[in-house]
Amino acid sequence: MQFANVGLLLGGLLVAVPIILHLVMRQQPKQLEFPALRFVRQRSVQNTRRLQLKHWVLLALRCLAVLALVAALARPGVASAALGRWVLSGSLGVILLIGVFVSLAAWLAGSSRTLAYILTGVTALVGVGALVSALMAMSSSSGPIVGEQEAPVAAVIICDTSPRMLYRHQNQTRLEKAQELGMWLTSQLPEDSQMAILDQRTQSTIFAPDRGAARQALQRLEIAVGGQSLIELTQNALKMLESNELARKEIYILTDLAAPAWDATDAQRLKTALAEQPDIPLYIVDVGADDVQNVAISDLVLSAESTPENHDVTLQVEVVSDGSSQPQTLELFVEQIDDKLPIVENGELIVPKAERRNRQTIELADDQPRSVSFRLTGLEAGTHHGWIQMLGEDGLGADNKRWFTIQARTPWSLLVVKSDKAVSDRLVDALAPPSYRDSGRAAFKIDVISQSELTPAKMEEYQAIAMLDPAPMPDATWQALSSYVNRGGGLMLLLGRAAIKDDFNTEAAQSVLPGKLSRQWRAGNREWFLAPTDYQHSVLSPFRGTGASVPWRDYPIDRFWSFDDMDQDTNTIVPYNNAVPALIEQRIGDGLVLTLTTSVSDPRGDSWNKLFTGLDTWPFFVLWNQMARYVVQGGDDHFNYTAGDVATLKTEPGNETATHLLFTPNGIDPQEVVPDAGTITIPFTSSLGTYRVRPLGGGKSMGFSVNLPPYATRMDKLTEADLDDILGPGRYRLARQQEQIVREQGKARLGVPLFPWLMLIVVIVFGLENVLANRFYRQAPSET
């Protein structure tokens, strides 16, 4: 507890005034000549004692009134509502004691029974209130200890630097407003306070050496793409303050309160940490705009990132409107391929020219997403960079443009190897339809041979091999397949009736297979089917969002193989509904193997399943295409990333060790990067736009694009109920203006004022003193 006016406590000495007056003004006994009658003398003694009791009661009340008034004028306070409840309980306890004392005095003094009953009833009510408040105080948590108001503070100021903070309102971005409030906060903190500035880009968590350094850190704040969420930053702030030696600690979060900045997955951990440190006040300062009007391209989805040349690619964007329903125009631009660019001339980055390929105008409705599709045709071989942009301006320009990169290439070469009874026509046509093969638009160049024609030399001509219902092979063939995969080739094994357990469990065969071939399962009266549980794998990416509605049950599986002792590095992409692996991935060296444990190359009348022989078998058609694309690309082959991701690029043949130049979207000075085994890794992707990579000595230009995560700039604000779920009810203080911040700081530093309760006691005491004085000293009516 602390007092706003400590000197006034000396006024407590005034309690001597009623005592002096009591001693001075007490009546002296008079000597009277009176008959010595015993009953008169006894009556006189009783009256004297009763009068003395009344005097002592009034003296106690007057002294208590002076003390309570002095304490109230000193304006004491406590630091939290929890301590306030204890103070309330104690105040009611004091009033209860006064009531008990006065009630007993009223009964003993022989005053009016009506007054005695009233005082007793009021005392009983006060007693109930004191009991209830005591129970509430015991159930509440303890609060911080209040110290001197101007004592130094260890303060961490967290500033939201998400791209949303570039939203301009009243000619000021939200980041500029946050910086302005942050500068004001640093001036409000007491002398010798320690300050730290945290934002999404913060790498080290240290306190600034002085107030000036903290202000410079605020002035240097820039928008950061990706990085830590506000929940993670708050956890870091708590850890910093936990080790700080100052007694008073505070956290300020300057944010527009938009939901994307708060990663709810870590909310429970933060809520627990805040509950464990109730002595650290948390201030949420809302710098967001009241009336938001913004139109954003929230997402961009490509039908393919890598595609054969002259193949069509569909680009689909989602446009979202916040507070606006005006028509919007979208334009599609694609850069020309020029392997001599980019270059830097006279300090300027020169990139290939871009031409507009398409333009669409759409109608929007507030908060109603609108999907817009563009189609790119006639892409020649090479790396194509482009973007989709929205014309016009709004409050936030960071989400009016989305970049993309597409790799067009010659058709992938795939060798299909079939056993004697395997049927390959359906599988080949699914990957390269005859009309596409005739027009040169097929994604695959496919050759089909029998298993007996497979040789090591034949393998080297293709990017991937698909073995349909493989039969036992010589050890030399298994070893050749293993070497082919180790060097980066892709292999698909689609097991069927030709497999023989003992021959497939030899040491040579196990160098390729994911485990020991165990048994062949037969459904009988049971119902088996493919049952994907997670659609995050690239092979299952076309089913994302619609996976639950895919009718896998309509394509029953009658027979399949299972494995024992599977290698630790295997991954089950798709299981059956009985949890036995159906599609298994295994990486061997620089390549990979996909194993499907049921046959899809049987004749229609004698098939193991209905995956490719049933009606409308589109799910497996899509799955088969994804499997083939996955193995020919050696796994995931990405050219479009989300900000903050680690990007990788594969060099062209012959440049596996050559130094390359990396040109970032925001920089004109290229950086030298050296591939590792033919792969270039770029760990920093914080800038939005196109990243370009070109061999230092000349060659084909490559690259990739980086965009914001979907809905990263949505400005749906958190409500106080949302903040309660994230931080805990009552664990934070919300403010928007400087006056609100000052008021909330006062509550935390000065505590909950006790002045109202003390004044209540003063009023009660003075009231009781007045009532009792009037009752004790009233003149009895004279008899006539």
Side-chain angles (χ1 to χ4, degrees):
M1 180 182 296
Q2 76 168 22
F3 296 88
N5 302 302
V6 179
L8 284 180
L9 290 178
L10 296 176
L13 298 176
L14 294 176
V15 74
V17 173
I19 298 175
I20 294 172
L21 292 175
H22 172 77
L23 295 176
V24 170
M25 298 179 65
R26 64 179 178 175
Q27 295 181 356
Q28 298 296 325
K30 296 180 179 180
Q31 303 292 329
L32 296 176
E33 297 266 343
F34 203 81
L37 298 177
R38 179 175 297 180
F39 76 92
V40 175
R41 188 175 291 114
Q42 291 176 347
R43 183 67 176 176
S44 176
V45 172
Q46 292 175 358
N47 289 338
T48 301
R49 290 176 178 174
R50 186 177 293 117
L51 185 60
Q52 288 177 345
L53 177 59
K54 293 178 181 179
H55 287 170
W56 283 114
V57 170
L58 291 176
L59 175 64
L61 288 176
R62 289 164 180 167
C63 291
L64 181 60
V66 172
L67 289 175
L69 184 60
V70 170
L73 293 176
R75 306 186 74 86
V78 293
S80 70
L83 288 177
R85 294 190 186 101
W86 281 112
V87 171
L88 171 60
S89 179
S91 301
L92 291 175
V94 172
I95 297 173
L96 177 62
L97 291 177
I98 296 172
V100 170
F101 179 67
V102 173
S103 298
L104 288 175
W107 285 104
L108 294 175
S111 300
S112 169
R113 287 190 175 273
T114 302
L115 176 62
Y117 281 124
I118 292 175
L119 291 174
T120 303
V122 172
T123 301
L125 290 176
V126 173
V128 174
L131 178 61
V132 172
S133 62
L135 293 176
M136 293 175 59
M138 287 187 290
S139 63
S140 62
S141 60
S142 62
I145 299 174
V146 175
E148 185 185 350
Q149 183 177 5
E150 295 303 319
V153 175
V156 179
I157 301 176
I158 300 172
C159 190
D160 188 351
T161 53
S162 305
R164 298 179 321 280
M165 297 291 285
L166 287 175
Y167 183 80
R168 186 170 292 276
H169 179 66
Q170 296 179 348
N171 202 31
Q172 188 181 42
T173 68
R174 301 305 87 201
L175 179 61
E176 290 171 348
K177 183 174 181 180
Q179 289 173 311
E180 179 183 298
L181 279 175
M183 298 289 285
W184 174 81
L185 276 173
T186 60
S187 66
Q188 290 294 304
L189 296 175
E191 291 296 328
D192 300 324
S193 293
Q194 299 182 23
M195 289 163 269
I197 311 300
L198 302 184
D199 69 310
Q200 271 86 351
R201 299 183 307 164
T202 301
Q203 299 296 325
S204 59
T205 52
I206 58 174
F207 285 92
D210 52 43
R211 194 186 303 267
R215 291 179 175 176
Q216 289 180 1
L218 281 167
Q219 291 173 340
R220 290 195 300 266
L221 287 176
E222 295 179 354
I223 292 299
V225 180
Q228 302 180 80
S229 69
L230 293 182
I231 289 182
E232 294 173 311
L233 291 173
T234 307
Q235 290 175 329
N236 292 342
L238 288 171
K239 293 178 182 177
M240 292 176 63
L241 294 175
E242 188 177 3
S243 59
N244 192 277
E245 70 278 2
L246 292 179
R248 179 180 292 161
K249 303 167 184 180
E250 298 172 351
I251 299 177
Y252 299 86
I253 301 179
L254 307 174
T255 175
D256 61 355
L257 271 185
W262 305 80
D263 185 2
T265 56
D266 292 331
Q268 187 56 47
R269 196 176 348 173
L270 174 59
K271 187 188 297 185
T272 302
L274 288 170
E276 291 174 352
Q277 301 187 58
D279 56 331
I280 301 179
L282 174 62
Y283 301 92
I284 308 295
V285 183
D286 181 11
V287 299
D290 292 327
D291 184 19
V292 173
Q293 291 192 357
N294 181 54
V295 181
I297 303 177
S298 66
D299 198 11
L300 168 62
V301 178
L302 305 176
S303 61
E305 296 183 60
S306 181
T307 184
E309 58 182 336
N310 299 319
H311 205 272
D312 294 350
V313 176
T314 300
L315 301 92
Q316 183 169 313
V317 294
E318 190 169 68
V319 183
V320 180
S321 173
D322 283 322
S324 175
S325 56
Q326 298 295 323
Q328 299 293 330
T329 299
L330 302 178
E331 293 183 335
L332 168 66
F333 285 84
V334 179
E335 291 182 357
Q336 300 174 356
I337 292 181
D338 189 344
D339 291 330
K340 297 179 181 179
L341 300 177
I343 59 173
V344 177
E345 288 185 355
N346 300 323
E348 182 180 357
L349 180 64
I350 308 298
V351 299
K353 294 182 179 180
E355 60 179 351
R356 189 175 67 192
R357 291 287 192 95
N358 204 337
R359 180 174 183 171
Q360 295 188 44
T361 300
I362 59 173
E363 299 289 336
L364 292 176
D366 188 13
D367 291 332
Q368 296 296 322
R370 174 74 184 274
S371 182
V372 184
S373 295
F374 294 90
R375 182 176 293 276
L376 274 179
T377 60
L379 293 177
E380 61 179 294
T383 301
H384 297 266
H385 301 298
W387 64 85
I388 296 176
Q389 68 181 20
M390 187 162 49
L391 298 185
E393 296 182 357
D394 54 14
L396 181 62
D399 54 11
N400 292 347
K401 192 173 183 179
R402 288 271 172 174
W403 293 264
F404 62 85
T405 298
I406 300 172
Q407 179 74 36
R409 58 198 307 163
T410 57
W412 292 299
S413 58
L414 176 67
L415 178 63
V416 174
V417 181
K418 62 177 186 175
S419 61
D420 294 340
K421 296 183 179 181
V423 178
S424 61
D425 297 346
R426 296 191 303 272
L427 295 171
V428 171
D429 290 345
L431 298 179
S435 60
Y436 277 50
R437 293 199 297 265
D438 296 341
S439 62
R441 294 184 296 126
F444 293 88
K445 179 181 178 300
I446 302 176
D447 291 327
V448 181
I449 64 173
S450 64
Q451 188 170 314
S452 60
E453 298 176 281
L454 182 63
T455 62
K458 192 73 172 176
M459 298 177 190
E460 299 304 323
E461 301 176 15
Y462 299 89
Q463 293 170 272
I465 300 171
M467 303 201 66
L468 309 183
D469 191 12
M473 293 180 287
D475 287 352
T477 304
W478 286 112
Q479 291 168 355
L481 284 172
S482 178
S483 298
Y484 168 78
V485 174
N486 267 284
R487 291 192 299 272
L491 176 63
M492 287 190 291
L493 298 172
L494 294 86
L495 303 182
R497 66 184 76 245
I500 298 177
K501 178 179 176 179
D502 292 340
D503 293 329
F504 275 57
N505 287 340
T506 62
E507 182 178 352
Q510 287 298 300
S511 65
V512 173
L513 292 169
K516 296 283 188 180
L517 203 62
S518 175
R519 55 175 288 198
Q520 192 180 116
W521 294 62
R522 297 175 182 268
N525 296 327
R526 292 166 291 190
E527 186 181 32
W528 289 335
F529 51 88
L530 299 181
T533 57
D534 185 356
Y535 291 89
Q536 297 307 308
H537 197 281
S538 295
V539 171
L540 298 173
S541 60
F543 303 107
R544 292 173 191 164
T546 60
S549 61
V550 178
W552 296 110
R553 188 184 294 270
D554 295 344
Y555 312 101
I557 310 293
D558 183 61
R559 296 167 66 181
F560 63 84
W561 286 97
S562 64
F563 289 95
D564 285 338
D565 303 327
M566 291 178 61
D567 293 341
Q568 293 182 352
D569 59 348
T570 58
N571 173 41
T572 299
I573 301 175
V574 180
Y576 297 106
N577 59 310
N578 63 352
V580 176
L583 180 60
I584 306 167
E585 174 187 14
Q586 182 183 20
R587 294 197 173 268
I588 302 175
D590 294 331
L592 64 87
V593 179
L594 288 182
T595 303
L596 183 66
T597 60
T598 187
S599 176
V600 289
S601 58
D602 297 325
R604 286 188 179 274
D606 189 24
S607 60
W608 277 22
N609 52 67
K610 298 294 184 181
L611 291 174
F612 239 157
T613 58
L615 297 175
D616 192 18
T617 57
W618 68 267
F620 189 76
F621 174 88
V622 174
L623 181 63
W624 169 240
N625 269 270
Q626 286 298 114
M627 291 168 57
R629 289 174 180 268
Y630 190 67
V631 294
V632 295
Q633 295 178 76
D636 294 334
D637 196 0
H638 291 308
F639 299 98
N640 297 275
Y641 293 90
T642 297
D645 291 345
V646 175
T648 59
L649 280 176
K650 294 181 179 178
T651 63
E652 292 290 327
N655 289 328
E656 289 85 353
T657 59
T659 300
H660 288 65
L661 294 176
L662 169 65
F663 298 82
T664 62
N666 294 339
I668 60 173
D669 294 327
Q671 306 174 39
E672 292 188 358
V673 291
V674 179
D676 181 11
T679 299
I680 297 174
T681 301
I682 298 93
F684 48 89
T685 57
S686 59
S687 298
L688 303 179
T690 301
Y691 291 70
R692 308 166 197 273
V693 178
R694 187 167 58 84
L696 183 60
K700 289 187 177 181
S701 177
M702 306 177 295
F704 58 91
S705 294
V706 173
N707 287 296
L708 289 171
Y711 298 98
T713 56
R714 287 305 302 268
M715 299 185 190
D716 302 329
K717 299 189 73 167
L718 295 178
T719 63
E720 290 196 35
D722 296 328
L723 287 174
D724 288 345
D725 291 337
I726 295 173
L727 305 173
R731 188 55 189 87
Y732 63 94
R733 294 174 171 88
L734 184 60
R736 297 197 64 183
Q737 305 297 331
Q738 293 181 2
E739 297 78 10
Q740 293 174 304
I741 301 173
V742 171
R743 183 168 62 251
E744 296 298 336
Q745 283 177 334
K747 290 180 181 178
R749 296 179 185 175
L750 290 177
V752 179
L754 304 183
F755 179 79
W757 298 111
L758 291 174
M759 288 304 298
L760 177 62
I761 293 176
V762 171
V763 171
I764 292 175
V765 172
F766 272 115
L768 286 173
E769 189 276 340
N770 184 63
V771 170
L772 292 180
N774 290 333
R775 297 289 300 181
F776 291 165
Y777 296 124
R778 69 179 179 180
Q779 297 292 328
S782 60
E783 297 182 1
T784 58

